[in-house]
Amino acid sequence: MKLPEAVPAAWRSLIAPELDPVRLAALAEFVAAERAAGTVFPPEDRVFAALELTPPEAVRVLLLGQDPYHDEEQAHGLAFSVPEPVKPPPSLRNIFRELEQDLGIRPPAGGDLSAWGRQGVLLLNSVLTVRAHAAGSHRNRGWEELTDAVLRAVNRGPNPVVFILWGAAAQAKKPWIDLRRHRVIESAHPSPLSAYRGFFGSRPFSRANAYLRELGRSEVDWRLESLQPELELI
């Protein structure tokens, strides 16, 4: 993988001037060595899936995650999302539980959030790769420089955006957001370790749509059941 050439062109033109070629080369070398030594998620052709699915001009909501899921077949390049037919992991099940409480949308059986990305919800992780079964193993290797540049590009873009920041790591990016133009929704992370500390009951989906209306932008249809069968959450 070559960086920044692997970044989708529309995003590359916005962020390349901010990136250090030496650090990018070191990042690419590190990830290549990790792949040579073992399994890395997501697959190489899915590393920039979020940026491919949601181009800069389409972004209405930026939902910031941390690093990819680190178990087999889960990560596919979209924050909090898993591909079909993988069952939703605990954090995503909590997201669906809050979605039902907030908007009455019944949880789908699957966890592919691509439908959100196609509507302008940029599902961006702050770190874009991870070693199998080793959460956080690719943090502080250079991905943050690239994804921070994406966040800053969204912040200075021509259209107002709603930023959804779940957990302390995401909320640390808030000082970079121009609150005169954009809106921020923040709460605890949906992880089972923290969801009861303020994620449940935070109503991020209805609040995001209310902010979008306020900003003169169209709402997001948060439903996924049109593409996937429903599942009762226990």
Side-chain angles (χ1 to χ4, degrees), residues 4-15 51 56:
E5 292 85 351
V7 177
W11 286 104
R12 185 169 67 245
S13 65
L14 296 177
I15 68 173
L51 301 182

Side-chain angles (χ1 to χ4, degrees), residues 1-29 47-48 51-52 128 142-143 145-147 149-150:
M1 177 176 60
K2 286 189 175 183
L3 293 173
E5 292 85 351
V7 177
W11 286 104
R12 185 169 67 245
S13 65
L14 296 177
I15 68 173
E18 298 186 44
L19 303 178
D20 181 342
V22 174
R23 283 181 54 79
L24 285 182
L27 170 62
E29 184 177 337
V47 170
F48 295 106
L51 301 182
E52 293 166 356
L128 299 186
W143 280 127
E145 179 180 338
L146 189 152
T147 56
V150 170

Side-chain angles (χ1 to χ4, degrees), residues 107-230:
D112 188 343
L113 305 181
S114 298
W116 292 356
R118 288 191 291 269
Q119 293 185 74
V121 180
L122 179 57
L123 299 162
L124 181 69
N125 277 319
S126 59
V127 175
L128 299 186
T129 56
V130 67
R131 188 186 314 133
H133 316 301
S137 52
H138 288 189
R139 293 178 188 172
N140 301 315
R141 291 289 185 165
W143 280 127
E144 293 90 345
E145 179 180 338
L146 189 152
T147 56
D148 286 352
V150 170
L151 188 150
R152 289 193 294 269
V154 173
N155 178 65
R156 65 175 180 265
N159 298 314
V161 168
V162 177
F163 291 81
I164 299 179
L165 308 178
W166 289 333
Q171 290 159 19
K173 314 294 185 182
K174 185 177 177 180
W176 295 349
I177 301 170
D178 183 353
L179 300 180
R180 296 167 299 179
R181 299 183 58 234
H182 307 295
R183 300 293 182 270
V184 172
I185 295 171
E186 52 189 322
S187 75
H189 194 274
S191 161
L193 297 175
S194 57
Y196 285 97
R197 300 175 185 171
F199 175 74
F200 290 135
S202 63
R203 303 182 67 85
F205 308 102
S206 61
R207 290 169 63 199
N209 279 348
Y211 279 142
L212 288 169
R213 291 193 301 271
E214 177 186 317
L215 295 169
R217 308 201 68 187
S218 56
E219 298 181 11
V220 173
D221 182 351
W222 297 102
R223 295 174 298 174
L224 295 166
E225 74 272 24
S226 61
L227 300 177
Q228 302 166 352
E230 294 176 347

